[in-house]
């Protein structure tokens, strides 16, 4: 279970973290918790991670795709930015302290980064369902990490 994707050197501008983005994220979180959908009809969940430096819980709205055996797949795309999103590093530091919320349900999950053939299979599924992720990949020289979230027993 290695989280080993390094930041790239080129890519799109990383989405901002200013007051407008924080408001938009809170709005999206409420909508996702209620319906499980994000803007434009995309499946979305609220990802709760534990900060690797602070130990504080962090909530992030993230699009998801169905994985095998009732799992969820998420992509650490940061819209094609050269750097991985902060939540990627939080998951890497605490893969067994991740929780998701969608459509009124909360699930404790374990996170695992996909590699090799598993990643390639998931990537094809993701770009078929949401071609914008292929565009995000074209913008950056880092390989976009795909994370599988598996319900914890």
């Amino acid at each position: 279970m290695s989280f080993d994707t390094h930041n790239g050197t080129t890519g799109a501008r990383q989405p901002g973290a200013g007051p407008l983005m924080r408001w938009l994220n809170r709005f999206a979180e409420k909508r996702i918790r209620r319906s499980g959908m994000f803007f434009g009809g995309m499946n979305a969940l609220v990802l709760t991670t534990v900060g690797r430096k602070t130990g504080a819980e962090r909530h992030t709205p993230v699009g998801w795709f169905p994985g095998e055996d009732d799992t969820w797949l998420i992509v650490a795309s940061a819209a094609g930015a050269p750097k991985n999103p902060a939540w990627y590093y939080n998951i890497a530091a605490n893969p067994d302290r991740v929780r998701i919320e969608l459509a009124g349900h909360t699930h404790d999950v374990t996170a695992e980064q996909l590699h090799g053939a598993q990643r390639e299979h998931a990537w094809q599924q993701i770009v078929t369902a949401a071609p914008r992720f292929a565009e995000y990949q074209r913008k950056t020289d880092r390989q976009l990490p795909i994370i599988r979230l598996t319900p914890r027993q």
Side-chain angles (χ1 to χ4, degrees), residues 71-153:
T71 61
W72 300 268
L73 301 173
I74 59 175
V75 182
S77 69
K83 294 183 178 181
N84 294 309
W87 61 258
Y88 173 82
Y89 297 105
N90 292 344
I91 287 177
N94 300 291
D96 294 323
R97 296 179 65 193
V98 180
R99 185 174 68 243
I100 62 171
E101 299 171 72
L102 67 157
H105 299 284
T106 301
H107 306 272
D108 292 326
V109 297
T110 300
E112 169 189 19
Q113 183 171 338
L114 299 182
H115 297 287
Q118 284 185 322
R119 185 202 179 278
E120 187 57 34
H121 176 73
W123 180 249
Q124 290 309 313
Q125 174 191 343
I126 290 165
V127 296
T128 298
R132 73 175 146 228
F133 282 89
E135 182 59 31
Y136 296 157
Q137 183 61 75
R138 281 191 285 279
K139 291 179 180 180
T140 184
D141 59 347
R142 69 181 169 93
Q143 185 179 61
L144 301 181
I146 299 174
I147 312 300
R148 179 174 42 217
L149 304 172
T150 304
R152 264 187 278 154
Q153 302 303 333

Side-chain angles (χ1 to χ4, degrees), residues 4 6 18 21 25 30-31 40 47-48 51 54 68 75 80 87 94 106 111 114 123 141 143 150:
D4 56 3
H6 299 288
M21 186 57 79
N25 280 346
K30 289 177 187 175
R31 182 181 174 111
L47 179 70
T48 301
T54 64
E68 297 174 358
V75 182
W87 61 258
N94 300 291
T106 301
L114 299 182
W123 180 249
D141 59 347
Q143 185 179 61
T150 304

